[in-house]
Amino acid sequence: MAISKMVGTGVFSTPSSIFAGTGSIGLGLFYWVIGFGVAGSMLSVYLEFASYFPSRSGSEVVYLEQAYPRPRYFFPTVFAVQSVLFSFSSSNAIVLANYLYRLGQSTPTDWQVKGVALAAYTVATLAVSFNTKYSLLLSNAIGWVKLATLIFIAITGLVVLGGNVDKISDPKAHFRNAFEGTSEATVYGATNSLVNVMFSYQGYENAFNLVNEVKDPIKKLKWTAPISLITTGILYMLANIAYVAAASKEEIINSEVNVASLFFNNVFGSGGASRALNFLILLSAFGNLLVVLIGQSRMLRECGRQGVLPFTRFWTSTRPFGTPLGPYWLKWAATTIMILAPPAGDAFNFVVDLGVYPQSLFNFLLAVGLLFTRAHRKKLNIPRTEWHAWDIVVYFAILANFYLLVAPWYPPADGATGGDVSFWYGTYLVVGIGLLSCCGVYYYVYIKVLPKLGNYQFRQTIFKGSDGETAHQLVKIPNSEIAAWDAEHDEAGRLRRRHNHVAEKTDQSVEA
């Protein structure tokens, strides 16, 4: 259910900051179209990479490794450490806390929001810690609720726009002069709006994490992935039209992360119907916590299994409940820090910005890397595959992500503290670059320094998991055994000489 994975809390919480940054309703709506275009261009890049390596799961880490083979093991190592350092989900927990207080019709302090957000994330972590089967069933069920809620908002918005709700006197007011206020937009505001839009579109790449478990993956993904993204884009646009049909621009901006709640109150009043619909948003936010916990914890487990992180048993063990407790509670610790550490009131915006920036870097490298991969394949006279992205789409992806890397440094019009947080606007940029730099330092120490001191070298091999999936793994080979290892294995880690039937089956099932 790809659409459900894409639809998170962003569309219910970010429109206020998007319209505030763009200055007008018209430009704010157009930014959702731009965000769809950026997501669509990157989806096309992912599809072409997947067509090159249809038996390799792992999404961007695999594609980056293929596009940039040197330094050796760099991207698997950096991606694993980045997955650990950025394994927080505090923005969704904060949205949940805000809607819980809206449901109770009370105004919380900033620290009360933080306390409830932490409690909610703790409950979500406990919910997935004891049984994988039931936690998956619960997250899937809530996924349907989340999708149904978005569809309901979209349909209700069309009803409002048609003038069929007496409480909304002039639903078309914003569309008569939709771009009024655009001149007030700044470079910082426009960039911040695009960052928030991209936060809402995150998740379109999830299907590529498991391509080797899908029969004829490119045949299926070239239809299902674009359809999912198009459907999500349409629902996002209809939801935003619903918001602006039912409320003034000032009301939307002042609602902060509670824009969906504002919509319900304006259309249905503050009675039982509005509170019930607010509960659906709250439930959707909780479901998003579960989905991200389950998905990212599996990713962390796979990173640990690849041998590029210390304490392998911590990452891979599923005792005693058959669940990855280590990754779950590491995510809980990281999320707790990101809920409590930013100044009260700034946590949501800070975490959203911090989460999008590294992804923009990886997307930029991925789109540029596609050009390198094409050139390499052309040099080897390898024909085109089933999916080939248009050149203009690839270049658009490169330029869009380059913009998201550079433009956020442009200062707000009101000075260094005039951004969407109460402290220096570029703090998340420095923190993000600092964390990515830690990944590079870790790579140098773990892959270069420690092997030299320990008289061993890393080599790549292939293993087959308990569910039949295949993956690449780094193993430590003593220097005295390196010559023999290299003679028996190729660059990808496959055995040159098949010593037994198991080795032969594994070799035949994996594409380098």
Side-chain angles (χ1 to χ4, degrees):
M1 194 170 159
I3 297 176
S4 176
K5 291 182 180 180
M6 246 185 295
V7 178
T9 59
V11 70
F12 304 130
S13 55
T14 61
S16 58
S17 60
I18 292 169
F19 289 125
T22 55
S24 71
I25 295 300
L27 187 59
L29 292 175
F30 186 65
Y31 261 57
W32 285 95
V33 178
I34 295 175
F36 171 80
V38 176
S41 66
M42 283 308 305
L43 177 62
S44 191
V45 170
Y46 275 91
L47 279 168
E48 184 166 339
F49 268 117
S51 71
Y52 295 157
F53 313 107
S55 63
R56 294 286 305 274
S57 291
S59 192
E60 62 256 58
V61 63
V62 172
Y63 307 151
L64 287 169
E65 182 185 14
Q66 295 293 330
Y68 305 96
R70 296 290 183 271
R72 201 175 188 190
Y73 312 135
F74 178 76
F75 276 106
T77 306
V78 167
F79 186 82
V81 181
Q82 179 262 347
S83 298
V84 173
L85 295 179
F86 289 87
S87 61
F88 45 81
S89 302
S90 49
S91 57
N92 295 322
I94 293 168
V95 170
L96 186 152
N98 274 279
Y99 275 93
L100 183 61
Y101 277 107
R102 294 284 291 192
L103 186 63
Q105 296 182 330
S106 62
T107 303
T109 66
D110 291 329
W111 281 100
Q112 283 176 327
V113 170
K114 287 191 173 193
V116 172
L118 179 56
Y121 198 76
T122 302
V123 171
T125 306
L126 289 171
V128 299
S129 292
F130 298 107
N131 189 287
T132 297
K133 177 182 177 181
Y134 291 113
S135 61
L136 285 171
L137 289 174
L138 178 61
S139 65
N140 289 336
I142 297 177
W144 284 107
V145 173
K146 181 169 53 177
L147 183 59
T149 302
L150 184 59
I151 293 174
F152 177 80
I153 292 175
I155 294 174
T156 304
L158 294 177
V159 174
V160 172
L161 197 62
N164 299 308
V165 177
D166 294 335
K167 292 182 180 180
I168 311 299
S169 59
D170 191 3
K172 299 178 182 178
H174 287 307
F175 299 96
R176 295 194 186 96
N177 193 4
F179 291 91
E180 181 181 2
T182 300
S183 60
E184 300 173 6
T186 63
V187 174
Y188 174 85
T191 302
N192 190 61
S193 296
L194 186 56
V195 168
N196 279 277
V197 170
M198 296 316 301
F199 168 76
S200 300
Y201 273 109
Q202 282 184 343
Y204 60 85
E205 77 286 351
N206 277 337
F208 298 92
N209 287 321
L210 299 171
V211 290
N212 75 332
E213 298 181 25
V214 179
K215 186 178 180 181
D216 297 326
I218 307 307
K219 184 178 180 180
K220 294 180 179 178
L221 285 174
K222 73 178 183 180
W223 293 106
T224 58
I227 289 173
S228 297
L229 182 60
I230 292 171
T231 303
T232 302
I234 292 172
L235 289 176
Y236 280 179
M237 182 59 70
L238 290 176
N240 278 274
I241 291 174
Y243 298 151
V244 301
S248 67
K249 183 175 72 173
E250 291 72 22
E251 285 181 312
I252 294 173
I253 292 173
N254 292 331
S255 69
E256 297 182 341
V257 299
N258 301 306
V259 64
S261 179
L262 171 68
F263 171 76
F264 293 144
N265 288 340
N266 285 1
V267 175
F268 300 102
S270 57
S274 178
R275 296 175 68 182
L277 292 168
N278 274 297
F279 176 76
L280 293 181
I281 301 294
L282 186 151
L283 191 63
S284 297
F286 185 75
N288 198 259
L289 294 181
L290 297 180
V291 169
V292 174
L293 264 168
I294 294 171
Q296 288 192 355
S297 294
R298 287 184 174 183
M299 184 188 301
L300 290 172
R301 184 180 63 184
E302 292 308 310
C303 288
R305 185 181 288 173
Q306 288 174 1
V308 296
L309 295 173
F311 313 115
T312 302
R313 183 169 296 181
F314 172 82
W315 306 104
T316 60
S317 175
T318 57
R319 295 181 179 180
F321 306 113
T323 58
L325 290 180
Y328 279 155
W329 288 96
L330 174 82
K331 278 187 60 61
W332 177 88
T335 300
T336 297
I337 292 172
M338 294 309 298
I339 290 175
L340 300 179
D346 294 322
F348 178 81
N349 289 330
F350 180 77
V351 171
V352 168
D353 296 342
L354 181 61
V356 172
Y357 195 72
Q359 187 61 50
S360 299
L361 175 60
F362 283 117
N363 285 346
F364 173 76
L365 292 173
L366 198 63
V368 173
L370 180 60
L371 300 180
F372 294 157
T373 306
R374 284 180 175 180
H376 179 68
R377 292 172 63 87
K378 185 176 181 179
K379 185 178 179 180
L380 297 176
N381 294 319
I382 301 176
R384 287 188 176 187
T385 52
E386 191 173 352
W387 182 275
H388 187 86
W390 293 338
D391 291 347
I392 191 173
V393 171
V394 178
Y395 289 121
F396 175 74
I398 293 172
L399 291 175
N401 285 287
F402 182 73
Y403 174 85
L404 287 170
L405 290 174
V406 175
W409 290 97
Y410 195 91
D414 296 331
T417 58
D420 61 348
V421 291
S422 60
F423 43 91
W424 181 50
Y425 77 96
T427 302
Y428 81 91
L429 299 169
V430 175
V431 172
I433 292 174
L435 292 177
L436 290 173
S437 298
C438 290
C439 299
V441 171
Y442 176 89
Y443 165 81
Y444 180 76
V445 173
Y446 191 73
I447 301 296
K448 301 294 184 181
V449 176
L450 293 183
K452 187 175 182 179
L453 296 176
N455 293 316
Y456 63 86
Q457 296 182 39
F458 280 108
R459 287 295 185 267
Q460 184 172 264
T461 187
I462 297 171
F463 75 91
K464 199 165 192 175
S466 57
D467 297 327
E469 77 279 8
T470 58
H472 288 69
Q473 183 180 43
L474 295 187
V475 292
K476 299 176 182 178
I477 307 298
N479 288 337
S480 59
E481 301 175 14
I482 282 293
W485 173 275
D486 290 343
E488 294 178 355
H489 298 79
D490 63 13
E491 184 80 4
R494 296 175 300 188
L495 285 171
R496 298 183 190 276
R497 298 192 299 271
R498 298 175 177 81
H499 296 291
N500 51 55
H501 182 62
V502 175
E504 183 175 0
K505 288 180 64 179
T506 302
D507 183 66
Q508 291 174 348
S509 67
V510 179
E511 175 182 340

